[in-house]
Amino acid sequence: MEVARYWRTTQQRYRMEGEICPTCSGKIFPPRDVCPHCQHEAKTPFTFSGRGEIFSYSTIHNAPQGFEKFAPYTVALVRLTEGPLVTAQLTDVDEHDVYIGMPVEMVTRVLREDGERGLLVYGFKFRPAFGVSGSSSQAVAVDVRAPEHAQHEVMIAR
Amino acid sequence: MRDVSIIGLGQTVVGEHWDKSLRMLGYEALNSAMASARIERIDALYVGNMLSGELTKQEHLGALIADFSGQRGIEAMKIEAACGSAGAAFRVGYAMVAGGMQDVVAVMGVEKMTDQESSLTTSALAMAADAEYEALQGLSFVGINALLMRRYMHEHGYKKDDFAQFAINAHANAVNNPNAMFRSLITARQFADAKPIADPINLLDSSPIADGAACVILAPTAMAREFTDKPVRVRASAVATDTVAVHDRRDPLYLEGGAISAQKAYAQAGIGPWDLDLFEVHDAFTIMSALSLEAAGFAPRGKGVRLALDGEIGIGGRLPITTMGGLKARGHPVGATGMYQIVEVTQQLRGEAGANQVRDARLGMAQNIGGSGATVVTTILERA
Ligand SMILES: [Zn+2]
């Protein structure tokens, strides 16, 4: 990743800084300057809580360049508490324990390693939200799994 | 606007052409299309291609292939819309002839993918996705489709094996296509046992990367019979877009671009989906077949897989799809795929599909999808 591009997107990658629409109050992540709900300009910064739940997930074995040394890794679509979906890697969790609906929270980690000199790109990933951590709004029992989870285990074992 | 017809068609075998370069593949398809239209000169060439810059370090394909094919001097350019590039090139050529800017135009798709190692090809294909918010997270193109497939199974209650018929049908049809990459049958058992690549997607859900080129020649319908006894009319040509990133969509399991594109095409042709005799669907992954069938109006949301499960998609079925093998078994040279689809619909409408001929085929549709649904090109053709 080029240095200028890296710095340009630092706030969103480190702090999940998106936008809030001054017209319809829609919360926007990733930032896109024009509100996807009402098409008005929306450049007011808004920092997301970094909490959400798994909408879907998959594990990547054949990694693109820059990610080979991290493979296999699990990527998810996360439905943020504030509404938007976001694409992010999962961390601190075994892929077999992931399920749709699992509560997760954002952390900052190394995303990829660039080139021979190895510029490290940092950004957000998500990990299981273990009850309270910082905020009192989350108190979800982690072992309550969607029935669908059992199906997936059968599939993987085959 | 002038009515436009296809007057010639050509294609290379799809596969690993280690002995042929990008330009040689392009020339081969163009040359055979021009021979089938009995012409030696074209007015313009539009080349659909996605990855030549990244994988061959070669851009500027319009001039390159025009010159290499003995057509130096003509108008020529490259059109890019990820895996929808060739469909988009067709659309540009069609507009040029319909609008009276050109008379005899070649539209081509060409791709050369097998020269590079797989991690580079994987990164290159991920350029169809959002570089800053999808690819930066290490998401591959297969991975995006895996996210969609898992969610689809979850929301609609399907098992993995329910998708098998899409792949089995594609392989059965490829057996009779001399230009297909995989001319072998597969069984439900082989599908169930296939190697996982990004769970729930396995090797037999996925279309293979490949080299190949396909081409058709367009001319005003009023002139078409000067060139061929079997012109095929263009009844509709439509492009629509959606967000590049899946996470930005209102409903990730609904291909809004596919629906808009198909609706525009049906309106142009004055038909409904069930008037079609066959549909070349963009089956890059089995999940894309299901989502495309739903977006194009053949099944309600969540029911696309049922068409395959109920045996409707074979050559003799209610809606034959991937009649020459589809992306899955004919092969998926990404930026060329859309033109293979159009060539195959044309073969069907000319009665030249051999053992896979759909009986009395009069109306056929191809839908070429860029990325995971961000660009969708729909083309409807009719036997003249
Ligand atoms: Zn708004």
Side-chain angles (χ1 to χ4, degrees):
Chain A
M1 190 184 218
E2 306 74 19
V3 173
R5 195 178 192 179
Y6 186 86
W7 286 108
R8 199 157 63 230
T9 51
T10 295
Q11 292 305 312
Q12 45 192 273
R13 273 185 293 105
Y14 286 13
R15 304 176 47 222
M16 287 206 97
E17 188 175 290
E19 291 154 338
I20 183 164
C21 174
T23 309
C24 76
S25 299
K27 295 177 179 117
I28 305 162
F29 194 88
R32 43 174 33 246
D33 291 356
V34 174
C35 175
H37 310 292
C38 72
Q39 278 71 48
H40 287 90
E41 190 171 276
K43 291 184 168 181
T44 313
F46 175 86
T47 301
F48 282 74
S49 67
R51 291 175 173 278
E53 61 174 53
I54 302 285
F55 180 85
S56 192
Y57 63 95
S58 180
T59 298
I60 309 292
H61 296 274
N62 302 319
Q65 282 190 339
F67 296 92
E68 295 102 322
K69 64 182 281 191
F70 302 100
Y73 50 88
T74 302
V75 180
L77 286 168
V78 174
R79 176 71 73 192
L80 298 174
T81 311
E82 295 89 348
L85 270 181
V86 61
T87 301
Q89 280 188 35
L90 301 182
T91 185
D92 306 346
V93 64
D94 185 293
E95 63 164 315
H96 297 97
D97 295 329
V98 181
Y99 58 95
I100 290 176
M102 178 187 230
V104 289
E105 64 187 11
M106 187 205 109
V107 290
T108 304
R109 294 289 158 83
V110 173
L111 283 182
R112 60 173 288 170
E113 197 177 295
D114 270 7
E116 285 126 38
R117 290 197 317 218
L119 170 69
L120 296 176
V121 176
Y122 284 85
F124 55 78
K125 293 188 184 183
F126 283 79
R127 69 179 177 197
F130 289 105
V132 282
S133 99
S135 150
S136 59
S137 64
Q138 292 273 326
V140 184
V142 193
D143 54 351
V144 178
R145 291 174 179 178
E148 179 255 5
H149 180 66
Q151 260 181 21
H152 286 151
E153 274 189 344
V154 174
M155 257 167 39
I156 288 158
R158 186 171 55 213
Chain B
M1 251 185 31
R2 301 192 293 183
D3 202 85
V4 177
S5 288
I6 292 173
I7 58 166
L9 66 168
Q11 59 185 313
T12 73
V13 169
V14 178
E16 185 175 346
H17 289 283
W18 60 267
D19 57 337
K20 287 178 190 159
S21 67
L22 184 75
R23 67 187 81 179
M24 289 162 77
L25 291 167
Y27 165 67
E28 188 177 322
L30 176 60
N31 192 44
S32 80
M34 289 174 64
S36 94
R38 302 188 297 250
I39 55 173
E40 292 184 344
R41 192 75 185 161
I42 49 176
D43 297 323
L45 168 69
Y46 303 102
V47 179
N49 170 272
M50 175 185 175
L51 296 173
S52 70
E54 193 74 1
L55 298 185
T56 312
K57 299 294 172 228
Q58 177 72 62
E59 288 291 3
H60 219 162
L61 297 189
L64 185 85
I65 293 173
D67 171 42
F68 190 74
S69 307
Q71 301 291 322
R72 190 184 308 171
I74 62 167
E75 171 172 318
M77 61 188 87
K78 166 173 163 171
I79 314 288
E80 190 277 323
C83 333
S85 297
F90 179 92
R91 167 78 176 154
V92 170
Y94 168 76
M96 287 294 180
V97 178
M101 304 288 285
Q102 306 285 1
D103 283 333
V104 179
V105 163
V107 288
M108 170 192 295
V110 59
E111 203 72 78
K112 179 78 187 159
M113 304 178 75
T114 64
D115 280 358
Q116 298 290 352
E117 57 180 301
S118 86
S119 71
L120 179 59
T121 313
T122 304
S123 320
L125 284 168
M127 297 191 309
D130 187 320
E132 295 193 344
Y133 303 110
E134 290 182 314
L136 183 66
Q137 290 287 341
L139 190 55
S140 62
F141 198 60
V142 182
I144 291 176
N145 284 275
L147 294 173
L148 294 175
M149 187 168 180
R150 188 185 304 277
R151 184 71 196 186
Y152 187 96
M153 290 163 62
H154 173 81
E155 279 191 26
H156 301 303
Y158 288 106
K159 305 187 306 294
K160 164 72 188 160
D161 291 349
D162 294 336
F163 292 80
Q165 281 306 321
F166 287 120
I168 291 169
N169 174 62
H171 275 260
N173 293 342
V175 168
N176 300 313
N177 177 2
N179 294 303
M181 183 167 181
F182 294 143
R183 302 184 64 189
S184 55
L185 295 169
I186 58 164
T187 63
R189 183 59 201 243
Q190 283 171 304
F191 183 87
D193 293 342
K195 179 177 169 245
I197 47 178
D199 196 58
I201 286 181
N202 69 33
L203 206 54
L204 290 180
D205 285 297
S206 315
S207 55
I209 65 160
D211 307 332
C215 182
V216 299
I217 312 289
L218 299 171
T221 299
M223 294 167 54
R225 295 215 179 252
E226 294 170 29
F227 304 100
T228 176
D229 302 329
K230 297 182 190 171
V232 166
R233 280 180 68 203
V234 182
R235 287 291 307 276
S237 163
V239 180
T241 54
D242 197 351
T243 68
V244 167
V246 166
H247 57 233
D248 286 330
R249 297 194 187 151
R250 272 187 282 268
D251 177 356
L253 295 185
Y254 183 63
L255 298 182
E256 207 172 309
I260 297 170
S261 173
Q263 288 308 323
K264 282 197 216 176
Y266 295 145
Q268 286 173 28
I271 63 166
W274 289 106
D275 293 324
L276 291 162
D277 299 307
L278 66 129
F279 179 22
E280 289 304 328
V281 64
H282 192 96
D283 59 328
F285 299 91
T286 52
I287 180 65
M288 283 314 267
S289 298
L291 297 179
S292 299
L293 287 168
E294 293 168 20
F298 292 101
R301 217 175 158 290
K303 300 289 186 204
V305 179
R306 284 245 62 93
L307 289 170
L309 284 171
D310 296 345
E312 313 261 38
I313 62 171
I315 294 294
R318 197 155 63 108
L319 180 70
I321 67 169
T322 57
T323 66
M324 300 303 276
L327 283 59
K328 170 67 198 83
R330 174 240 298 132
H332 184 26
V334 287
T337 280
M339 205 61 70
Y340 276 96
Q341 294 178 305
I342 286 169
V343 163
E344 289 157 359
V345 173
T346 305
Q347 288 179 301
Q348 288 285 1
L349 300 180
R350 285 165 60 122
E352 296 172 352
N356 290 354
Q357 184 63 47
V358 173
R359 277 186 63 191
D360 298 324
R362 187 178 70 83
L363 275 171
M365 180 163 87
Q367 197 174 62
N368 182 203
I369 298 184
S372 51
T375 300
V376 185
V377 188
T378 307
T379 308
I380 298 177
L381 303 175
E382 183 182 28
R383 186 180 69 204

